[in-house]
Amino acid sequence: MRIMLLLFVMGIVPAIIIEAVMVQTQEERAVSQRTITVQNQCAILCDQLANLGYIENPSSEVVDGELSILTNIYGGRIMIVNRDYKVIKDTFKLDQGKYILSQRVIDCFNGDETSRYDKKNQYIEMAQKIASPDEKGSGDACGVMLISVSTTEIQVTKDLMEQRGILVLTVLIAAILVLGYFLSGLLVKPFQKISSSIEALADGYAEETISVPDYLETEMITNAFNRMMRRIKTMDDSREEFVANVSHELKTPMASMKVLADALNSQPDAPVEQYREFMQDISKEIDRENQIITDLLSLVKMDRKAQDLNIETVNINDLLTLIIRRLKPLAEKKNVELILESFRPVNAEIDQTKIALAFTNIIENAIKYNKPEGGWVRTSLNADHKYFYVTIADSGIGIPKESVDHIFERFYRVDKSHSREIGGTGLGLAISRSAIVLHRGAIKVYSEPGEGTTFSIRVPLVYIA
Ligand code: ADP
């Protein structure tokens, strides 16, 4: 409807304006042409009058004849006024002998020849001075010729043109309406196609992508829509995968516990040592179950919105010292040396708990996945005017090339059996990355299998909401 209206307005408004301007121009042109023609003829007549001395003696039959021919041709009236403002000739014979003291006559005697178009009463009025050729320009007129000619026929032509214009406009309106109806339907069709495709998709009985390549715009819309659908699908898939992984991870320790308990149950007279050993294993599995649940809860917390962050200004040097002190026992157990290098004091606006968890996970990994003897983990802190940078390098086993891109995924572990032995849940790095991203930071990893791994982290000094 809107497109049709637009087409209508765009078609009709200019047509109406053009028609009005054309009719108006035609009228002005006709009037000015008529004025010039009559003025020219009257000028000749005026010269003749002056030469014949008609003003002094208004009894020339030749002049009378010419005057009546002129007035007949143009349907007008001519009056001749002498210096005493007396009408000495009136072709209508109405005012002959009377005195006429109008401004136009006075102006004309003063050399100001005027013409005026009276549109309402449909005539042109002109005043022309009568002076012999040698007196011309000096303003010494001996008389004034007042001419009025009818413009009825100009008006008739104008009316005719207007009528034709209205006829053409009516035809044009009808054509535009019909054309607009079809054209707007045609223009909108691709968009209707898009909306029906989306509806079909939403109702679930269509392909997962839509394609309407009719216009560049519709192609862009459908491409954007398809991209969005792909994202939703990826999110859906990853959610499904996550739930499957969580269930699996939670079931594994339970299954182990069940096997251990069943084994004990099936032997009524099992020795106490075996009981103790199996119970210790069950206890380990419970710890593991606990660890997975704790990690899952941390991850859920990280997935929340940024407004849940508890931002405060924290001294990062102190924070890293504290984390390293806490991890010292684990490092000693694994015979790993912990080194902390601080290049400058750094204070930053962060959520201390979340960032501490992120660094703890990464340093803990660096200890866990280190070489069996004489390993080291070097943590260094630096900053510029915008960010602080933490690098955690280790001399560990490294990460294979094909796994580097996946280590931040939830539940991803490079070597499932090995990590299980070490005690990972596969959630640590996912938690760390979420925490850093929540602070609008970035984390990158470089690794050389067999030589070591370096994590570099960048976090803004000032928290950007
Ligand atoms: P996990 O709880 O298993 O440690 P993470 O998410 O913390 O889970 O790490 C994912 C995987 O990335 C680990 O299982 C391990 O294989 C690998 N990884 C992480 N950090 C290191 C490291 N510093 N050196 C070698 N491998 C690492």
Side-chain angles (χ1 to χ4, degrees), residues 13 19 164 212 272 382 385 388 396 426 455:
V13 171
E19 199 246 10
R164 291 236 174 116
V212 183
V272 180
N382 206 343
H385 63 289
F388 73 87
F455 283 88

Side-chain angles (χ1 to χ4, degrees), residues 295 361-362 365-369 394 396-399 407-409 412-415 419 423-430 447 453 455:
D295 280 1
N361 282 341
I362 297 166
N365 278 348
I367 300 168
K368 282 195 306 193
Y369 302 104
D394 66 54
I397 55 173
I399 304 163
I407 55 163
F408 294 108
E409 288 168 14
Y412 184 84
R413 276 166 293 180
V414 174
D415 177 351
S419 326
T425 58
L427 291 171
L429 286 180
S447 186
T453 308
F455 283 88

Side-chain angles (χ1 to χ4, degrees), residues 34 69-77 92 148-151 153:
R34 170 68 47 94
I69 289 171
L70 207 65
T71 47
N72 281 340
I73 292 175
Y74 296 112
R77 174 185 186 182
F92 276 15
S148 55
V149 287
S150 159
T151 55
E153 83 206 68

